[in-house]
Amino acid sequence: MEHRKPVRKEDSIPITIQTVEEIGPRWYVPGDLDGFFGLFFSGFPDLLLIASLTPLCGLPQEMVTGRILPAVAFSILFGNLFYAWQAHRLARMAGRNDVTAIPFGVNTPTIFAYVIQIMAPVYERTHDSTLAWHMGIFASLVSGIVQSASAFCVDWLRRTTPLAALLSPLAGLAMAFLGLGFVFGIFQVPEVALLPAVILLATYASRMRLPWRIPSGLVAMVVGGIAVVLLRALHLYNLPPQPPLVPPGLYLPKPVNLFQILSQGVGWRYASIFLPLSLLDTLVSLQILESVRIAGDDYATKPSLLVNGLATVAGAALGSAFPTTLYIGHTSHKANGARIGYSILGGTVNAALCLTGLVPLVLHVVPLEVVAFVLVWFGVAMVAQAFLEVPSAHAVAVVLGLVPMLAGWVTQIVDLTARKAGSDLMTIAPRFGGELAIYGMIALGQGALLVSMIWAAALVWIIERRFLQASAWMLVAALLSCFGVVHAFALSPQGIENRLGWWVAPKFTLSYLAAALFLALCHWYVQGNPAAFAD
């Protein structure tokens, strides 16, 4: 995804690179090359991520290279071409030469969420890699439909959901899966990953341009690749084996049987993961469009959001298990002189790498750990944004909203540890006793994105002394827990399983109902009673 940052006033000043006599749209200008490198090194690690993580779902590399990546390539190309055309149309209508296309690519947080929380658990439970792939397609397809439909009701979503409730789930996902996991990977192989990480940190954090405008991502990849070659020559290279190579060729996307995939009702048990992510992506994309408008490019909201959803649907129809999204970075690309061509270049080059089967080959030369700091940086930026964008009084709600995602991440670590030790979580969970509230940690992590939204939203309304709204969110939690969308689980030798049904988590349902009643009583108590508050 991908990742968002606040718009700074100085970033909103358009920088033109043409003379007054040349005013008007042009498909390519020299600054588009800088913009292309910026977009490429923001999005290409996502392709490496897909190639690295999908084997966890039992998917053979032939399927990843021959079916999934070509479908991803099509969705990326489709979106980038539309946003380039949209920019050209705006430039022509406005008679301007400084219009910059919206950056677009694969949604990074959902790669982790779909692989770790949907596809891998399905494979671990059934040992059916095709079913795991189909569940990813199912989630991506429904997500694309929701994103497309949400383009027509974004105003209502913004009014009813506090900003802290929108940003804290993404921040928690970014901290746990984009941040901590990859930081550990970097420090596990410092000989190849530490210096590239510092190169990226120095250039990203300071916004320093290298000589001749060499992209810092390219420098990091070259440095890491040289380190890998040298260490291999000295027999000191000890990274885990990379995905097997697939012969380069032409791998065109092929349609999948969506009716068969949708008829597998098991996909809905993961609705608590993909539905909140799709709604969050719509709202955060709306924020990106606002930052684009502030930078001087006022695009129509509905078509911009609608095409994002349609690109995801198109990719899913061809076998992609990963949604697309609008990227941050528009203002920086604009400042570097990028206009329209950089979007076409980005989509075309990424498509070429996917359609020719070269992505796994890149992983053999440049392991994911070398460019992992790109993901770490954007993950950290997402966490920072969650605190910077909300009113200072609501920061505590963001902190509370981080906890469910962290609980889900730690639960996965405990589960993995048990498996590697030759046991399973069902067997060892009773042994923790009072030293680790393992059952509470599992419950908190079930439907973590929704739980994060609910608690962050309720706390915001409590801070604002609007107790009826907070009570409504507790009622939502009661309803969701009653049907098992949140908190409900069962332990089996295969791991943690969702429990969908009626009245499957009665302790949580009754507790949330009691909480809703208490908050409603608070509303009644404070009415016309200013002395009820300490201040």
Side-chain angles (χ1 to χ4, degrees):
M1 183 173 214
E2 249 272 350
H3 322 278
R4 292 94 188 159
K5 64 180 181 181
V7 178
R8 305 194 324 170
K9 186 175 181 180
E10 57 267 31
D11 290 338
S12 64
I13 301 173
I15 297 179
T16 60
I17 59 172
Q18 297 166 278
T19 66
V20 176
E21 291 76 21
E22 294 173 319
I23 288 180
R26 291 174 58 188
W27 287 108
Y28 180 80
V29 296
D32 279 326
L33 188 60
D34 285 337
F36 157 70
F37 280 119
L39 180 61
F40 178 78
F41 287 110
S42 295
F44 183 63
D46 293 328
L47 301 179
L48 298 180
L49 198 60
I50 292 171
S52 296
L53 292 182
T54 44
L56 297 176
C57 313
L59 297 174
Q61 194 60 50
E62 292 78 9
M63 180 182 291
V64 177
T65 303
R67 297 299 307 273
I68 297 178
L69 286 175
V72 171
F74 179 84
S75 60
I76 293 175
L77 184 61
F78 171 78
N80 275 290
L81 291 179
F82 169 80
Y83 293 114
W85 171 84
Q86 184 187 47
H88 190 271
R89 181 172 180 268
L90 176 62
R92 187 178 68 250
M93 292 176 61
R96 293 168 48 197
N97 63 0
D98 63 341
V99 174
T100 300
I102 305 170
F104 176 83
V106 186
N107 193 320
T108 309
T110 57
I111 296 175
F112 287 95
Y114 282 24
V115 170
I116 303 300
Q117 297 184 309
I118 298 178
M119 298 167 68
V122 169
Y123 176 70
E124 291 170 1
R125 189 178 69 253
T126 65
H127 300 290
D128 186 341
S129 59
T130 301
L131 180 62
W133 175 39
H134 284 178
M135 289 303 96
I137 296 173
F138 181 99
S140 187
L141 177 63
V142 176
S143 176
I145 294 172
V146 171
Q147 290 176 38
S148 301
S150 298
F152 299 93
C153 57
V154 288
D155 292 334
W156 177 82
L157 290 170
R158 293 183 74 180
R159 286 196 306 269
T160 56
T161 309
L163 188 56
L166 300 175
L167 295 180
S168 57
L170 285 176
L173 189 63
M175 176 180 288
F177 296 101
L178 289 181
L180 295 175
F182 277 102
V183 167
F184 297 159
I186 291 170
F187 280 84
Q188 180 168 289
V189 284
E191 64 273 24
V192 298
L194 189 59
L195 179 56
V198 173
I199 292 171
L200 293 168
L201 178 64
T203 52
Y204 283 3
S206 69
R207 305 181 70 186
M208 175 180 62
R209 283 181 176 174
L210 297 178
W212 306 290
R213 292 193 173 186
I214 299 174
S216 57
L218 178 61
V219 175
M221 290 182 68
V222 170
V223 169
I226 292 173
V228 168
V229 170
L230 292 176
L231 291 172
R232 277 179 173 161
L234 297 172
H235 304 288
L236 298 175
Y237 185 66
N238 59 358
L239 273 179
Q242 300 299 319
L245 289 176
V246 175
L250 183 61
Y251 298 92
L252 297 177
K254 303 173 184 177
V256 296
N257 189 338
L258 290 180
F259 178 78
Q260 176 190 3
I261 293 172
L262 287 173
S263 65
Q264 296 171 320
V266 68
W268 288 108
R269 71 169 56 187
Y270 300 101
S272 62
I273 298 169
F274 59 77
L275 286 181
L277 276 174
S278 58
L279 291 173
L280 287 168
D281 183 62
T282 298
L283 291 163
V284 177
S285 295
L286 190 63
Q287 292 179 329
I288 291 176
L289 285 175
E290 179 63 17
S291 70
V292 169
R293 185 192 65 79
I294 294 173
D297 298 332
D298 193 2
Y299 293 108
T301 299
K302 286 183 181 179
S304 299
L305 296 179
L306 181 61
V307 168
N308 180 27
L310 292 177
T312 296
V313 171
L318 296 173
S320 170
F322 306 104
T324 53
T325 188
L326 307 184
Y327 279 5
I328 66 164
H330 173 274
T331 51
S332 60
H333 297 326
K334 192 177 189 70
N336 285 332
R339 296 296 176 255
I340 300 169
Y342 90 102
S343 182
I344 300 172
L345 281 173
T348 303
V349 171
N350 278 301
L353 289 170
C354 291
L355 297 177
T356 54
L358 294 179
V359 173
L361 177 62
V362 175
L363 274 178
H364 278 261
V365 180
V366 184
L368 183 61
E369 288 79 3
V370 171
V371 293
F373 195 81
V374 174
L375 303 172
V376 173
W377 173 257
F378 285 122
V380 171
M382 290 173 68
V383 177
Q385 184 193 24
F387 289 95
L388 292 172
E389 292 283 336
V390 303
S392 58
H394 297 175
V396 65
V398 175
V399 175
L400 183 62
L402 298 177
V403 176
M405 292 306 305
L406 293 175
W409 182 68
V410 174
T411 299
Q412 291 180 8
I413 292 178
V414 175
D415 186 35
L416 177 63
T417 303
R419 292 177 183 278
K420 294 299 182 181
S423 183
D424 57 77
L425 197 54
M426 183 179 72
T427 302
I428 68 170
R431 302 176 188 173
F432 285 106
E435 298 177 62
L436 177 64
I438 184 68
Y439 298 107
M441 187 168 67
I442 297 172
L444 187 59
Q446 292 301 108
L449 287 162
L450 283 173
V451 176
S452 174
M453 290 182 67
I454 289 167
W455 280 90
L459 183 52
V460 165
W461 293 130
I462 290 172
I463 292 170
E464 296 296 322
R465 300 172 179 175
R466 298 170 68 177
F467 294 105
L468 275 185
Q469 285 89 335
S471 176
W473 279 95
M474 290 293 103
L475 287 174
V476 170
L479 181 65
L480 293 176
S481 62
C482 181
F483 286 97
V485 179
V486 298
H487 299 317
F489 68 93
L491 292 180
S492 72
Q494 286 72 43
I496 303 169
E497 297 183 356
N498 296 332
R499 290 185 61 200
L500 294 177
W502 168 256
W503 205 247
V504 290
K507 294 180 181 179
F508 283 102
T509 303
L510 293 173
S511 297
Y512 278 125
L513 287 174
L517 176 61
F518 172 77
L519 291 169
L521 290 174
C522 289
H523 169 77
W524 170 80
Y525 170 67
V526 302
Q527 290 299 301
N529 184 13
F533 299 108
D535 55 356

